[in-house]
Amino acid sequence: MTRLIFLGPPGAGKGTQALLLAKDCEVPHISTGDILRSAVAAGSELGQKAEQYMSAGELVPDELILDLIQERLGQDDTKAGWLLDGFPRNVPQAEFLQKLLDQIEQPVDFVVNLDVEDDVIVARLLQRGRDDDEESVILNRLQVYRQQTEPLIDFYRDRQQLVSVDGNQTMDVVHADLKRLVLE
């Protein structure tokens, strides 16, 4: 049984590492982006609500994201475990998630923080070459992360659930470190 939450700044490799580890552990990799796209594609009531915000170029409100997470964690494929990537993004979401996990009796094993230095993140994201990967945009995203998401590190450390992994290493070395952490 594997239930993990992945934290880390944009460009730390959360999505890549969570996806690889989910395959190793044979559990679903759950990202908020995937949940939103699936709900919209399925035409569910929550998906239709989310699509209204997304098509207007607005952020989907926390309350709707929380409902979608609750719906996703209630599906059959999550009984053996899951890896959450991109959620929670702030302390109120983490508090909600904790209540939800208590309610559905699926406690998180631990929270993985991929720790990567800002200059490494900037270099990685600039190499990707996406349209929105200009240095000023990247620095703004990092600032937003520091303000909104980084407090989760203390939140989970205080609950003795946080494990930090050095994300400054190659993808293969980080993956090997994560496998040792989870599978041994």
Side-chain angles (χ1 to χ4, degrees):
M1 186 93 44
T2 303
R3 296 187 190 108
L4 306 175
I5 297 171
F6 272 74
L7 298 178
K14 293 181 303 293
T16 301
Q17 294 297 341
L19 193 57
L20 291 169
L21 199 58
K23 285 180 184 173
D24 293 336
C25 298
E26 299 179 1
V27 297
H29 166 239
I30 301 173
S31 79
T32 48
D34 290 345
I35 290 173
L36 286 169
R37 285 185 289 278
S38 294
V40 169
S44 70
E45 183 180 336
L46 292 174
Q48 290 173 17
K49 288 179 184 177
E51 186 174 29
Q52 291 173 359
Y53 291 98
M54 293 164 65
S55 61
E58 297 176 17
L59 288 176
V60 177
D62 275 2
E63 183 178 307
L64 187 49
I65 295 286
L66 299 174
D67 289 344
L68 287 163
I69 293 285
Q70 183 170 2
E71 182 178 83
R72 180 64 182 95
L73 290 178
Q75 294 176 4
D76 287 342
D77 67 339
T78 64
K79 299 293 186 245
W82 39 259
L83 273 71
L84 273 181
D85 165 24
F87 185 86
R89 290 191 184 268
N90 55 46
V91 171
Q93 287 182 356
E95 290 169 341
F96 167 84
L97 180 62
Q98 186 61 55
K99 289 177 190 166
L100 172 62
L101 295 176
D102 289 346
Q103 182 182 15
I104 63 175
E105 298 179 357
Q106 290 191 28
V108 67
D109 294 328
F110 49 89
V111 178
V112 175
N113 177 45
L114 288 179
D115 193 17
V116 184
E117 296 168 10
D118 285 0
D119 59 334
V120 173
I121 288 168
V122 171
R124 282 183 186 174
L125 294 178
L126 286 173
Q127 281 183 327
R128 277 197 322 200
R130 291 187 189 166
D131 290 343
D132 64 340
D133 283 343
E134 297 174 18
E135 189 164 355
S136 62
V137 174
I138 293 167
L139 292 172
N140 184 57
R141 285 167 50 202
L142 282 171
Q143 183 179 0
V144 168
Y145 168 80
R146 300 281 178 235
Q147 291 170 346
Q148 295 181 9
T149 308
E150 198 170 54
L152 289 172
I153 294 169
D154 289 334
F155 178 87
Y156 286 114
R157 184 180 293 126
D158 292 348
R159 286 160 181 73
Q160 296 162 352
Q161 294 176 302
L162 186 75
V163 177
S164 284
V165 173
D166 181 1
N168 291 313
Q169 307 171 90
T170 67
M171 187 174 81
D172 291 338
V173 172
V174 172
H175 183 65
D177 287 351
L178 289 168
K179 279 178 67 172
R180 266 193 302 280
L181 185 70
V182 174
L183 300 174
E184 291 181 1

